[in-house]
Structures are given as structure tokens and as C-alpha cells.
Amino acid sequence: MPSNLPRIPLRIEAELKMKLEYIAFKNSRSMNKETRQLLSRHVEQFEKRYGEIKFEHYCDCFDRPVVAENGYCFLRGRCKCDNCQQRGGKHSYLRKR
């Protein structure tokens, strides 16, 4: 049965991919599990240093939970809303969860 987990395409150099394959092999993991392990470790270290990442807001425009700092969604650079308060408009797509 196929997984419902989100997919993240990754573009890396061939040599880096081969090295990651070797590391995964040495750790008795698949490439996917090795990558997940590395990403989990990175998030853990980031949260240790800066605090837990909390998705306390919801963006109606992106239809997903988001992190907001100083009233701004971290996705505002990708926001295409013409009338979003974060981009100088009057409508707020960002709300507390």
C-alpha cells in the first residue's frame, strides 16, 4: 500500500548521493530512513538552540498550519495574496489555531 507521507524531491550532487548511500548501508538503513534520521537530528539540534518550533497559527491562503513571528507568517515570501496584511493589504489570512 502506498504511503500518504508528503514527498520532498531532493536535488544533490552525484558524489554526495553516493556517500549518503554508503552511510545508509553502514547504518543498515535505506536512503530514505537515513535522510529522515539526518533531518530529525537537525531539527532536534535547532530546537535545542532556539526553542521548540510551534505551529500556533493557521494560514487560510496556504490552507496549512504555520509559524508566525512578530505577526508575520514564515511563508510570506511565497505568498501570492494581493490583499494580505502581511504584504500591505487589508485582509488577514493568518489566524490563531
Side-chain angles (χ1 to χ4, degrees):
M1 187 163 142
S3 171
N4 290 331
L5 293 173
R7 299 189 185 286
I8 304 173
L10 183 64
R11 292 177 182 87
I12 59 174
E13 295 80 15
E15 185 176 346
L16 180 57
K17 181 182 180 279
M18 290 186 296
K19 288 179 180 182
L20 186 57
E21 283 175 329
Y22 175 74
I23 293 168
F25 169 76
K26 292 299 275 183
N27 288 330
S28 301
R29 295 188 183 116
S30 67
M31 279 276 290
N32 186 63
K33 287 191 179 184
E34 187 67 31
T35 304
R36 283 174 42 192
Q37 179 68 26
L38 291 168
L39 291 173
S40 294
R41 204 173 310 144
H42 181 67
V43 169
E44 187 179 299
Q45 289 172 355
F46 182 93
E47 287 184 326
K48 257 187 208 169
R49 186 171 182 184
Y50 297 104
E52 183 183 354
I53 299 169
K54 296 179 183 174
F55 292 91
E56 295 177 335
H57 290 81
Y58 192 87
C59 179
D60 289 326
C61 182
F62 283 106
D63 193 29
R64 63 170 277 192
V66 294
V67 175
E69 293 178 345
N70 303 321
Y72 291 104
C73 166
F74 79 103
L75 293 172
R76 78 179 182 171
R78 288 192 246 162
C79 186
K80 305 289 187 236
C81 308
D82 293 330
N83 200 22
C84 182
Q85 280 181 353
Q86 295 187 117
R87 298 177 64 78
K90 295 183 192 284
H91 185 74
S92 177
Y93 293 102
L94 193 62
R95 60 185 163 86
K96 196 87 163 146
R97 286 179 81 186

